[in-house]
Amino acid sequence: MDLLPARRRRLTPRRLARPRLARAGAALLGVLAIAAACTASTHEEEPTTEALSEVVQPGRPGEENRTLSPEEYGPQSEWNDADVAFVTLMIDHHLQALEMADLATTRAQDADVAGLAERITAAQGPEIHALVGWLQGRDLAVPVAAAELDGTGPRNPGGAGSTGGHAGDHAGEHDGSTPHGMLSATQMEALAGATGAEFDRLFLEGMIVHHQGAVEMAQTAMVDGTDLYAGEMAADVASGQDAEIARMQQMLDGL
C-alpha cells in the first residue's frame, strides 16, 4: 500500500528562502529594538547638569588634601605674603639666570655648558611670564625689570615688590654671599670678563649656587604659601633646578 501522497509539493530554492528571510528579518528587528533600548537607556543616564571642575590641592606634611573649586584656584584664591615673596623674588632670580645664560652664548667653550645655557633660557624665560602673570592677576606690583621684559612697562614703580632696577644691580656690590644664591655685581662682572675654560668654570660654579638658592626659596614657598598655582610653580622650580644641579656638578667635575 502506497502511504505517500499522490502529489508532492516541490520545495524550490525560492520557497526555501522565504522562511530564512523571514527569520533573518525578525532577528534584525530584534537587534534594532535592543539597540534602540540601549540608546534610550544611555540618554536617560546622561547627567543633566554641567560637570564640576575641581582641583585637588595636596596637603602639607601631616595634613589632608583639599578639594578646591575653580574660584578658589584662580586669582581669587587664598594667597599670603609667602606666595608674593616667592613669586616676586623668583622673577629677579630668573632674570639674573637669563643674564648668565646670555653671556654663555659668546663666551662658553664647552658645548655642554652652551647647551645648558640654552635650556635655562628656554625654561626660565616662559616661567618669568607666568610669574609676572600671577602678580598681575592679583593686582600686585611687578618688578620693574620684569615689566620691561614683558613689554608691559613698569607697574607700581617703587611699591611693594618693585626692585627699582635690574636683577644684577641690587644683588650686592660685595664679594660675599648674596641672598638666595644671587651673584653679586662683582661676580657678574668677573663672569662677563671671562672666556673659554675659565668662563665655563665660573658659570657652573655660579649657577650651581644660584640654583641652590632657588630650590631653597621654592621649598619655603611650598611650606609657608597658601596659593595653589604659586605652590605648583614652586614645585616645578624645586624639581627642575634640583635635577640641573646634579648635572652641573658632573659637568664641573669633568672640566
Side-chain angles (χ1 to χ4, degrees):
M1 181 176 177
D2 190 0
L3 297 178
L4 295 175
R7 296 180 62 185
R8 294 183 180 180
R9 295 180 62 187
R10 295 186 59 188
L11 299 178
T12 63
R14 184 176 180 181
R15 293 179 182 275
L16 289 171
R18 288 178 179 174
R20 293 176 181 174
L21 289 174
R23 288 194 297 270
L28 178 59
L29 290 174
V31 171
L32 293 176
I34 294 173
C38 292
T39 302
S41 175
T42 301
H43 285 302
E44 290 175 359
E45 294 175 359
E46 289 182 355
T48 56
T49 59
E50 295 182 0
L52 297 177
S53 299
E54 295 180 340
V55 177
V56 177
Q57 180 182 26
R60 299 173 185 175
E63 296 182 357
E64 296 181 354
N65 296 342
R66 295 175 56 203
T67 301
L68 306 178
S69 67
E71 292 75 16
E72 292 176 297
Y73 181 75
Q76 296 78 27
S77 64
E78 180 185 353
W79 50 268
N80 61 15
D81 290 342
D83 297 313
V84 178
F86 165 74
V87 173
T88 304
L89 292 173
M90 191 55 66
I91 290 173
D92 278 348
H93 210 267
H94 277 11
L95 284 171
Q96 188 178 71
L98 293 186
E99 288 184 22
M100 297 171 66
D102 184 62
L103 292 173
T105 60
T106 56
R107 293 166 174 78
Q109 173 178 290
D110 191 282
D112 290 338
V113 172
L116 171 66
E118 291 179 359
R119 290 193 297 273
I120 289 173
T121 299
Q124 297 194 21
E127 286 178 2
I128 290 175
H129 290 278
L131 293 163
V132 168
W134 189 92
L135 292 173
Q136 291 177 334
R138 290 152 181 81
D139 199 28
L140 298 171
V142 175
V144 173
E148 293 172 349
L149 177 69
D150 193 51
T152 61
R155 289 183 47 150
N156 300 328
S162 177
T163 64
H166 205 275
D169 297 337
H170 70 91
E173 296 294 336
H174 52 83
D175 293 322
S177 61
T178 56
H180 316 300
M182 296 277 286
L183 271 65
S184 67
T186 302
Q187 290 172 317
M188 286 296 295
E189 289 174 3
L191 185 64
T195 58
E198 177 67 8
F199 175 87
D200 294 341
R201 182 184 64 81
L202 290 176
F203 178 85
L204 290 173
E205 288 177 348
M207 193 62 79
I208 287 173
V209 175
H210 201 267
H211 274 31
Q212 288 172 340
V215 171
E216 291 174 1
M217 290 168 59
Q219 290 173 340
T220 299
M222 287 189 287
V223 173
D224 297 337
T226 58
D227 182 81
L228 177 60
Y229 188 28
E232 289 179 349
M233 291 190 290
D236 288 341
V237 168
S239 61
Q241 298 206 15
D242 192 50
E244 284 187 346
I245 289 172
R247 290 197 296 267
M248 287 190 292
Q249 189 60 58
Q250 292 178 346
M251 294 165 61
L252 184 61
D253 294 340
L255 291 181

